[in-house]
mmCIF file with all atom_site columns, all heavy atoms in Angstrom:
data_model
loop_
_atom_site.group_PDB
_atom_site.id
_atom_site.type_symbol
_atom_site.label_atom_id
_atom_site.label_alt_id
_atom_site.label_comp_id
_atom_site.label_asym_id
_atom_site.label_entity_id
_atom_site.label_seq_id
_atom_site.pdbx_PDB_ins_code
_atom_site.Cartn_x
_atom_site.Cartn_y
_atom_site.Cartn_z
_atom_site.occupancy
_atom_site.B_iso_or_equiv
_atom_site.pdbx_formal_charge
_atom_site.auth_seq_id
_atom_site.auth_comp_id
_atom_site.auth_asym_id
_atom_site.auth_atom_id
_atom_site.pdbx_PDB_model_num
ATOM 1   N N   . TRP A 1 494 ? -118.813 -31.131 33.238 1.00 73.00 ? 494 TRP A N   1
ATOM 2   C CA  . TRP A 1 494 ? -117.997 -31.992 32.411 1.00 73.00 ? 494 TRP A CA  1
ATOM 3   C C   . TRP A 1 494 ? -117.984 -33.372 33.055 1.00 73.00 ? 494 TRP A C   1
ATOM 4   O O   . TRP A 1 494 ? -117.689 -33.501 34.236 1.00 73.00 ? 494 TRP A O   1
ATOM 5   C CB  . TRP A 1 494 ? -116.588 -31.435 32.333 1.00 73.00 ? 494 TRP A CB  1
ATOM 6   C CG  . TRP A 1 494 ? -115.697 -32.281 31.514 1.00 73.00 ? 494 TRP A CG  1
ATOM 7   C CD1 . TRP A 1 494 ? -115.728 -32.467 30.172 1.00 73.00 ? 494 TRP A CD1 1
ATOM 8   C CD2 . TRP A 1 494 ? -114.619 -33.076 32.004 1.00 73.00 ? 494 TRP A CD2 1
ATOM 9   N NE1 . TRP A 1 494 ? -114.748 -33.325 29.788 1.00 73.00 ? 494 TRP A NE1 1
ATOM 10  C CE2 . TRP A 1 494 ? -114.060 -33.723 30.875 1.00 73.00 ? 494 TRP A CE2 1
ATOM 11  C CE3 . TRP A 1 494 ? -114.096 -33.318 33.270 1.00 73.00 ? 494 TRP A CE3 1
ATOM 12  C CZ2 . TRP A 1 494 ? -112.978 -34.581 31.000 1.00 73.00 ? 494 TRP A CZ2 1
ATOM 13  C CZ3 . TRP A 1 494 ? -113.032 -34.171 33.376 1.00 73.00 ? 494 TRP A CZ3 1
ATOM 14  C CH2 . TRP A 1 494 ? -112.483 -34.795 32.250 1.00 73.00 ? 494 TRP A CH2 1
ATOM 15  N N   . ASN A 1 495 ? -118.377 -34.368 32.299 1.00 67.00 ? 495 ASN A N   1
ATOM 16  C CA  . ASN A 1 495 ? -118.371 -35.727 32.832 1.00 67.00 ? 495 ASN A CA  1
ATOM 17  C C   . ASN A 1 495 ? -119.274 -35.867 34.053 1.00 67.00 ? 495 ASN A C   1
ATOM 18  O O   . ASN A 1 495 ? -118.960 -36.594 34.984 1.00 67.00 ? 495 ASN A O   1
ATOM 19  C CB  . ASN A 1 495 ? -116.940 -36.126 33.198 1.00 67.00 ? 495 ASN A CB  1
ATOM 20  C CG  . ASN A 1 495 ? -116.804 -37.632 33.310 1.00 67.00 ? 495 ASN A CG  1
ATOM 21  O OD1 . ASN A 1 495 ? -117.573 -38.372 32.710 1.00 67.00 ? 495 ASN A OD1 1
ATOM 22  N ND2 . ASN A 1 495 ? -115.840 -38.086 34.085 1.00 67.00 ? 495 ASN A ND2 1
ATOM 23  N N   . GLY A 1 496 ? -120.370 -35.124 34.045 1.00 72.00 ? 496 GLY A N   1
ATOM 24  C CA  . GLY A 1 496 ? -121.270 -35.210 35.187 1.00 72.00 ? 496 GLY A CA  1
ATOM 25  C C   . GLY A 1 496 ? -122.625 -34.627 34.829 1.00 72.00 ? 496 GLY A C   1
ATOM 26  O O   . GLY A 1 496 ? -122.896 -34.370 33.658 1.00 72.00 ? 496 GLY A O   1
ATOM 27  N N   . PRO A 1 497 ? -123.472 -34.455 35.826 1.00 82.00 ? 497 PRO A N   1
ATOM 28  C CA  . PRO A 1 497 ? -124.814 -33.931 35.555 1.00 82.00 ? 497 PRO A CA  1
ATOM 29  C C   . PRO A 1 497 ? -124.808 -32.416 35.401 1.00 82.00 ? 497 PRO A C   1
ATOM 30  O O   . PRO A 1 497 ? -123.761 -31.771 35.528 1.00 82.00 ? 497 PRO A O   1
ATOM 31  C CB  . PRO A 1 497 ? -125.579 -34.329 36.804 1.00 82.00 ? 497 PRO A CB  1
ATOM 32  C CG  . PRO A 1 497 ? -124.540 -34.327 37.876 1.00 82.00 ? 497 PRO A CG  1
ATOM 33  C CD  . PRO A 1 497 ? -123.243 -34.698 37.229 1.00 82.00 ? 497 PRO A CD  1
ATOM 34  N N   . LYS A 1 498 ? -125.992 -31.848 35.145 1.00 89.00 ? 498 LYS A N   1
ATOM 35  C CA  . LYS A 1 498 ? -126.105 -30.396 35.200 1.00 89.00 ? 498 LYS A CA  1
ATOM 36  C C   . LYS A 1 498 ? -125.972 -29.980 36.652 1.00 89.00 ? 498 LYS A C   1
ATOM 37  O O   . LYS A 1 498 ? -126.484 -30.647 37.541 1.00 89.00 ? 498 LYS A O   1
ATOM 38  C CB  . LYS A 1 498 ? -127.455 -29.952 34.641 1.00 89.00 ? 498 LYS A CB  1
ATOM 39  C CG  . LYS A 1 498 ? -127.505 -30.056 33.136 1.00 89.00 ? 498 LYS A CG  1
ATOM 40  C CD  . LYS A 1 498 ? -128.716 -29.354 32.570 1.00 89.00 ? 498 LYS A CD  1
ATOM 41  C CE  . LYS A 1 498 ? -128.611 -29.344 31.058 1.00 89.00 ? 498 LYS A CE  1
ATOM 42  N NZ  . LYS A 1 498 ? -129.823 -28.907 30.411 1.00 89.00 ? 498 LYS A NZ  1
ATOM 43  N N   . ARG A 1 499 ? -125.321 -28.864 36.862 1.00 93.00 ? 499 ARG A N   1
ATOM 44  C CA  . ARG A 1 499 ? -125.093 -28.450 38.242 1.00 93.00 ? 499 ARG A CA  1
ATOM 45  C C   . ARG A 1 499 ? -126.419 -28.138 38.942 1.00 93.00 ? 499 ARG A C   1
ATOM 46  O O   . ARG A 1 499 ? -127.357 -27.656 38.312 1.00 93.00 ? 499 ARG A O   1
ATOM 47  C CB  . ARG A 1 499 ? -124.183 -27.231 38.277 1.00 93.00 ? 499 ARG A CB  1
ATOM 48  C CG  . ARG A 1 499 ? -122.738 -27.566 37.925 1.00 93.00 ? 499 ARG A CG  1
ATOM 49  C CD  . ARG A 1 499 ? -121.897 -26.303 37.808 1.00 93.00 ? 499 ARG A CD  1
ATOM 50  N NE  . ARG A 1 499 ? -120.493 -26.607 37.559 1.00 93.00 ? 499 ARG A NE  1
ATOM 51  C CZ  . ARG A 1 499 ? -120.008 -26.910 36.357 1.00 93.00 ? 499 ARG A CZ  1
ATOM 52  N NH1 . ARG A 1 499 ? -120.805 -26.982 35.309 1.00 93.00 ? 499 ARG A NH1 1
ATOM 53  N NH2 . ARG A 1 499 ? -118.716 -27.163 36.210 1.00 93.00 ? 499 ARG A NH2 1
ATOM 54  N N   . SER A 1 500 ? -126.460 -28.414 40.217 1.00 94.00 ? 500 SER A N   1
ATOM 55  C CA  . SER A 1 500 ? -127.647 -28.098 40.997 1.00 94.00 ? 500 SER A CA  1
ATOM 56  C C   . SER A 1 500 ? -127.239 -27.796 42.434 1.00 94.00 ? 500 SER A C   1
ATOM 57  O O   . SER A 1 500 ? -126.125 -28.127 42.850 1.00 94.00 ? 500 SER A O   1
ATOM 58  C CB  . SER A 1 500 ? -128.633 -29.269 40.961 1.00 94.00 ? 500 SER A CB  1
ATOM 59  O OG  . SER A 1 500 ? -128.042 -30.405 41.544 1.00 94.00 ? 500 SER A OG  1
ATOM 60  N N   . VAL A 1 501 ? -128.128 -27.150 43.131 1.00 95.00 ? 501 VAL A N   1
ATOM 61  C CA  . VAL A 1 501 ? -127.844 -26.771 44.521 1.00 95.00 ? 501 VAL A CA  1
ATOM 62  C C   . VAL A 1 501 ? -129.037 -27.129 45.401 1.00 95.00 ? 501 VAL A C   1
ATOM 63  O O   . VAL A 1 501 ? -130.183 -26.891 45.019 1.00 95.00 ? 501 VAL A O   1
ATOM 64  C CB  . VAL A 1 501 ? -127.609 -25.241 44.665 1.00 95.00 ? 501 VAL A CB  1
ATOM 65  C CG1 . VAL A 1 501 ? -127.082 -24.918 46.060 1.00 95.00 ? 501 VAL A CG1 1
ATOM 66  C CG2 . VAL A 1 501 ? -126.664 -24.722 43.604 1.00 95.00 ? 501 VAL A CG2 1
ATOM 67  N N   . ASN A 1 502 ? -128.759 -27.690 46.541 1.00 93.00 ? 502 ASN A N   1
ATOM 68  C CA  . ASN A 1 502 ? -129.758 -27.805 47.585 1.00 93.00 ? 502 ASN A CA  1
ATOM 69  C C   . ASN A 1 502 ? -129.456 -26.715 48.608 1.00 93.00 ? 502 ASN A C   1
ATOM 70  O O   . ASN A 1 502 ? -128.413 -26.757 49.254 1.00 93.00 ? 502 ASN A O   1
ATOM 71  C CB  . ASN A 1 502 ? -129.700 -29.171 48.272 1.00 93.00 ? 502 ASN A CB  1
ATOM 72  C CG  . ASN A 1 502 ? -130.070 -30.275 47.310 1.00 93.00 ? 502 ASN A CG  1
ATOM 73  O OD1 . ASN A 1 502 ? -130.898 -30.084 46.428 1.00 93.00 ? 502 ASN A OD1 1
ATOM 74  N ND2 . ASN A 1 502 ? -129.434 -31.425 47.473 1.00 93.00 ? 502 ASN A ND2 1
ATOM 75  N N   . VAL A 1 503 ? -130.349 -25.767 48.707 1.00 94.00 ? 503 VAL A N   1
ATOM 76  C CA  . VAL A 1 503 ? -130.129 -24.684 49.666 1.00 94.00 ? 503 VAL A CA  1
ATOM 77  C C   . VAL A 1 503 ? -130.867 -25.053 50.948 1.00 94.00 ? 503 VAL A C   1
ATOM 78  O O   . VAL A 1 503 ? -132.093 -25.022 51.006 1.00 94.00 ? 503 VAL A O   1
ATOM 79  C CB  . VAL A 1 503 ? -130.638 -23.343 49.110 1.00 94.00 ? 503 VAL A CB  1
ATOM 80  C CG1 . VAL A 1 503 ? -130.383 -22.235 50.113 1.00 94.00 ? 503 VAL A CG1 1
ATOM 81  C CG2 . VAL A 1 503 ? -129.966 -23.039 47.779 1.00 94.00 ? 503 VAL A CG2 1
ATOM 82  N N   . GLU A 1 504 ? -130.089 -25.441 51.943 1.00 93.00 ? 504 GLU A N   1
ATOM 83  C CA  . GLU A 1 504 ? -130.658 -25.845 53.223 1.00 93.00 ? 504 GLU A CA  1
ATOM 84  C C   . GLU A 1 504 ? -130.796 -24.594 54.085 1.00 93.00 ? 504 GLU A C   1
ATOM 85  O O   . GLU A 1 504 ? -129.820 -23.889 54.324 1.00 93.00 ? 504 GLU A O   1
ATOM 86  C CB  . GLU A 1 504 ? -129.721 -26.838 53.932 1.00 93.00 ? 504 GLU A CB  1
ATOM 87  C CG  . GLU A 1 504 ? -129.389 -28.060 53.112 1.00 93.00 ? 504 GLU A CG  1
ATOM 88  C CD  . GLU A 1 504 ? -130.275 -29.241 53.461 1.00 93.00 ? 504 GLU A CD  1
ATOM 89  O OE1 . GLU A 1 504 ? -131.165 -29.056 54.323 1.00 93.00 ? 504 GLU A OE1 1
ATOM 90  O OE2 . GLU A 1 504 ? -130.071 -30.323 52.886 1.00 93.00 ? 504 GLU A OE2 1
ATOM 91  N N   . LEU A 1 505 ? -131.991 -24.342 54.567 1.00 93.00 ? 505 LEU A N   1
ATOM 92  C CA  . LEU A 1 505 ? -132.220 -23.099 55.292 1.00 93.00 ? 505 LEU A CA  1
ATOM 93  C C   . LEU A 1 505 ? -132.219 -23.311 56.801 1.00 93.00 ? 505 LEU A C   1
ATOM 94  O O   . LEU A 1 505 ? -132.674 -24.343 57.289 1.00 93.00 ? 505 LEU A O   1
ATOM 95  C CB  . LEU A 1 505 ? -133.560 -22.494 54.857 1.00 93.00 ? 505 LEU A CB  1
ATOM 96  C CG  . LEU A 1 505 ? -133.671 -22.174 53.369 1.00 93.00 ? 505 LEU A CG  1
ATOM 97  C CD1 . LEU A 1 505 ? -135.063 -21.618 53.067 1.00 93.00 ? 505 LEU A CD1 1
ATOM 98  C CD2 . LEU A 1 505 ? -132.605 -21.178 52.942 1.00 93.00 ? 505 LEU A CD2 1
ATOM 99  N N   . TYR A 1 506 ? -131.682 -22.323 57.477 1.00 91.00 ? 506 TYR A N   1
ATOM 100 C CA  . TYR A 1 506 ? -131.789 -22.317 58.936 1.00 91.00 ? 506 TYR A CA  1
ATOM 101 C C   . TYR A 1 506 ? -132.209 -20.916 59.365 1.00 91.00 ? 506 TYR A C   1
ATOM 102 O O   . TYR A 1 506 ? -132.090 -19.962 58.591 1.00 91.00 ? 506 TYR A O   1
ATOM 103 C CB  . TYR A 1 506 ? -130.472 -22.742 59.584 1.00 91.00 ? 506 TYR A CB  1
ATOM 104 C CG  . TYR A 1 506 ? -129.310 -21.828 59.299 1.00 91.00 ? 506 TYR A CG  1
ATOM 105 C CD1 . TYR A 1 506 ? -129.020 -20.763 60.136 1.00 91.00 ? 506 TYR A CD1 1
ATOM 106 C CD2 . TYR A 1 506 ? -128.498 -22.031 58.189 1.00 91.00 ? 506 TYR A CD2 1
ATOM 107 C CE1 . TYR A 1 506 ? -127.946 -19.929 59.880 1.00 91.00 ? 506 TYR A CE1 1
ATOM 108 C CE2 . TYR A 1 506 ? -127.441 -21.195 57.920 1.00 91.00 ? 506 TYR A CE2 1
ATOM 109 C CZ  . TYR A 1 506 ? -127.156 -20.147 58.767 1.00 91.00 ? 506 TYR A CZ  1
ATOM 110 O OH  . TYR A 1 506 ? -126.099 -19.312 58.500 1.00 91.00 ? 506 TYR A OH  1
#
Side-chain angles (χ1 to χ4, degrees):
Chain A
W494 179 70
N495 199 25
K498 285 192 173 170
R499 288 173 176 81
S500 62
V501 190
N502 295 327
V503 181
E504 304 263 2
L505 301 178
Y506 63 91

